[in-house]
Amino acid sequence: MQFYCGISYVLLLVLGRAFASNGDGSTSNIIPPIYRYDDFDKCRQVNSPGVFCYVRVVLKSDVDPIDSDRIVTNFRRNQLDWGVCVADCERELAALGENDRQRLFQAQFEINHTYIFRMDYAREIVEPFKLKYSKLINVCVNRRLERNYQLSHRGYSEIEYCISNDPLEARSDLVSDWLTVVFLTIVVTLVSTVVGANAVEWLAGDKRFKDHIIVSSFSLRRNWSRFIRETESEVYKEFGYIDGLRVFINIYVLIIHCLLVFAVLPLTNPEAAEQMIQSRFMVNFASTAPLSVQTFFVISGLLLMVNFLKDIERRPQFSAEYFHTKIINRWLRILPVYYFFLLLAVVGHAIPGLRLGPLGYLTLITERNICRDRAWYNVFFVNNLPLTDERCFLHGWYLGADQQLFMSALVVLAVIWKHPKITKPLLVALLVTSVALPAGLIYQFGLESVLPLRLSDLKFLLSYQDWFKHIYSPSYTNANSFIGGMIVGYLYHETKRGRLNLDDSKLFKLLRKLIFPILVLGLLSSSLFYEYEHSRSSWWIVLHSVLYRNYGVMAGCMLFIHCFRNQPGSIRRFLASRPMTTLGKLSYSVYVLHVPLVRLLVNYLPGMPELSVYHITLLLMVLVGLSYAMGMVVYFCLEQPASLILKYWFIERRKTKVV
């Protein structure tokens, strides 16, 4: 553990020095600067009470530049995100007369777009600051706009959040907060149990305690053996390469999220972000983001169907106990890690010893404030549904969708078990429905056919983007991937049992010929919607949405069919090798923890970073390395032990009592 802490500290130092910047936004070519941050550390150390406020500034504009039938990627030039030191504003306005203050003040006007996070939990925290500093900051911002950038019109400034050194002025969320106490208690219990269990095993010997569930589950030596052990099941031998594939999909997700980080952070050169996202290559690359989750859903449906068909061959009699065991096993595996990091998001920055940096509000406090209002959606795995705009633990939407698809698939499997003759028409009907539903929603809501990448939306982590809410994250719009995987699993089972020969299928032959041009067309057509205007409520958009939402699913399904019909080549042998399948076991922990980890890394960046290929690459390398290093810690100390203990309590002991 000390080794990991030391490595993490060194990497934080490397990141801090590499990203070190004294820029406040004044070097940007965009006037007035979209981002301008006063010196955070100086403000809090030199001044008392050291109030630093994050302010949203909106300038009056007759035309909304984002409202277009073409996907406009740029920032809103009339919306500024500034970090303001209250003491600096007080000094700047000290000699300003009342007439000038009245002239510079801008009252709120009608704003036709989302410009600030709407969080009930933060409202009562921020209200005292608004009452005390709103007018001061409003006048201060407009004076800076007039003096530094020769701007004639005023901006309306609204405080989103303030940080203060005065505990009487700022609401405290430190150790006195009971949620923080709960989190720290869990951490101390886990650490103590790991240390105690391994000490007992080492001092007392294996024979005496080898059957003790606590010692066995938390033993690092035994968990290492489980970690590197190869599964001997027939299904795993056939599909073992999937674990290796998960590693590369996870890294692909980390790349996408690293790019997202630089779209969210205040940059010294935001124009570089606009230039990067306008390139055809970047548009087409970023538009492939749905492919990662679609592939995961295809894998889930495939393995679920393969195992189910294999099980009912051995046990043809219908039993609800089978599905009950499936659900319990799944919950016991995923819930401990998920709820642990969800609680960490709810606690936020209140962990003792964590120093809040200038970007800490954007990375830690914002999510904490949202989670205090919205975490219950995550607890019940409905955080992916369009029930709210602000999302707590944003990347957890995938787990909610996967959980809902899994439960729905069990209902489908139960019907297949009872009525096996309707398997084919049932799967075809479900696939057609799952393809038509997203297309219908796109037409109904007048949405784009491709994932719209707007920097103005990314600043809010897609919280208020209709496409993300209605198309990207709901389970029912991703059902095509899961059902596609189930169909591949069915074809695998029938082929292996000699009841099906795909070479005799005209449909399969046609798809095999068309898949490559469909894949190329799907990959390259996204940029057209950024370069040209297209009426959103048109049949052309609906037809393209069918292509965009399904070309990756088709390619993935055809790839898995090719794999089970042919002998492994060098790529599959590499993916199924011991190192890759071993790393694949960390996929779940790495996915859950990597976003809290990147939030922590960004919190320690000194000021506004610069966007460059070097900085993106550096952050990605540090994130991948730390994610897998911390993933091993989580796997050995939480995921594996908790799963073993909970299965013992809820399944094995129950079986013993029944016997």
Side-chain angles (χ1 to χ4, degrees), residues 121 171-189 340 342-354 368 372:
Y121 176 77
R171 174 176 169 176
S172 176
D173 282 295
L174 300 177
V175 180
S176 59
D177 190 328
W178 69 273
L179 288 171
T180 307
V181 174
V182 170
F183 179 78
L184 293 176
T185 301
I186 293 172
V187 172
V188 171
T189 301
F340 178 86
L342 177 60
L343 181 57
L344 175 61
V346 175
V347 169
H349 71 290
I351 301 173
L354 192 152
R368 181 207 65 181
R372 292 296 175 98

Side-chain angles (χ1 to χ4, degrees), residues 617-632:
T617 304
L618 179 61
L619 180 61
L620 177 62
M621 292 173 62
V622 172
L623 180 60
V624 171
L626 274 182
S627 293
Y628 276 90
M630 297 308 298
M632 288 189 66

Side-chain angles (χ1 to χ4, degrees), residues 306-524:
V306 167
N307 283 292
F308 166 76
L309 294 176
K310 182 181 176 183
D311 290 339
I312 62 174
E313 274 190 340
R314 298 196 307 258
R315 186 181 176 186
Q317 295 300 317
F318 180 83
S319 172
E321 182 67 23
Y322 173 83
F323 299 100
H324 177 266
T325 303
K326 282 277 187 185
I327 295 171
I328 294 298
N329 276 326
R330 180 183 180 83
W331 285 352
L332 298 184
R333 183 179 63 84
I334 69 172
L335 291 185
V337 174
Y338 180 61
Y339 283 161
F340 178 86
F341 284 99
L342 177 60
L343 181 57
L344 175 61
V346 175
V347 169
H349 71 290
I351 301 173
L354 192 152
R355 180 183 64 84
L356 197 66
L359 305 180
Y361 164 70
L362 298 176
T363 60
L364 299 175
I365 297 178
T366 301
E367 182 171 46
R368 181 207 65 181
N369 292 344
I370 295 174
C371 287
R372 292 296 175 98
D373 288 335
R374 305 284 190 264
W376 71 268
Y377 289 98
N378 300 72
V379 171
F380 295 104
F381 289 99
V382 294
N383 52 304
N384 64 305
L385 300 177
L387 303 174
T388 180
D389 288 321
E390 299 85 5
R391 303 290 181 97
C392 163
F393 210 59
L394 183 62
H395 65 300
W397 77 265
Y398 166 78
L399 301 175
D402 191 54
Q403 179 70 17
Q404 294 159 24
L405 290 171
F406 172 78
M407 300 295 287
S408 301
L410 291 185
V411 176
V412 174
L413 295 181
V415 173
I416 291 175
W417 198 339
K418 292 288 288 184
H419 308 283
K421 293 183 179 180
I422 68 169
T423 300
K424 292 180 182 179
L426 177 61
L427 292 176
V428 171
L430 290 173
L431 181 63
V432 172
T433 303
S434 65
V435 169
L437 182 58
L441 291 174
I442 286 174
Y443 182 81
Q444 177 184 353
F445 291 108
L447 302 175
E448 301 85 350
S449 60
V450 301
L451 174 64
L453 299 170
R454 301 186 185 92
L455 291 170
S456 56
D457 291 334
L458 295 176
K459 283 172 62 174
F460 291 96
L461 292 171
L462 305 175
S463 292
Y464 305 102
Q465 190 191 77
D466 287 337
W467 205 93
F468 180 81
K469 182 169 67 173
H470 293 292
I471 304 299
Y472 188 78
S473 63
S475 54
Y476 45 81
T477 56
N478 288 283
N480 59 326
S481 306
F482 208 96
I483 296 168
M486 294 177 68
I487 291 175
V488 173
Y490 176 77
L491 297 178
Y492 164 80
H493 182 82
E494 294 296 292
T495 300
K496 291 299 180 181
R497 299 306 182 271
R499 295 192 288 263
L500 176 66
N501 184 1
L502 288 174
D503 290 328
D504 296 333
S505 170
K506 295 181 180 179
L507 176 60
F508 177 74
K509 291 179 180 178
L510 177 63
L511 289 176
R512 192 162 55 182
K513 293 179 180 178
L514 293 178
I515 189 59
F516 182 74
I518 288 176
L519 180 61
V520 172
L521 182 61
L523 287 171
L524 300 182

Side-chain angles (χ1 to χ4, degrees), residues 13-32:
L13 288 178
V14 171
L15 271 181
R17 291 183 179 180
F19 282 80
S21 170
N22 296 321
D24 60 357
S26 58
T27 59
S28 173
N29 295 329
I30 301 175
I31 302 298

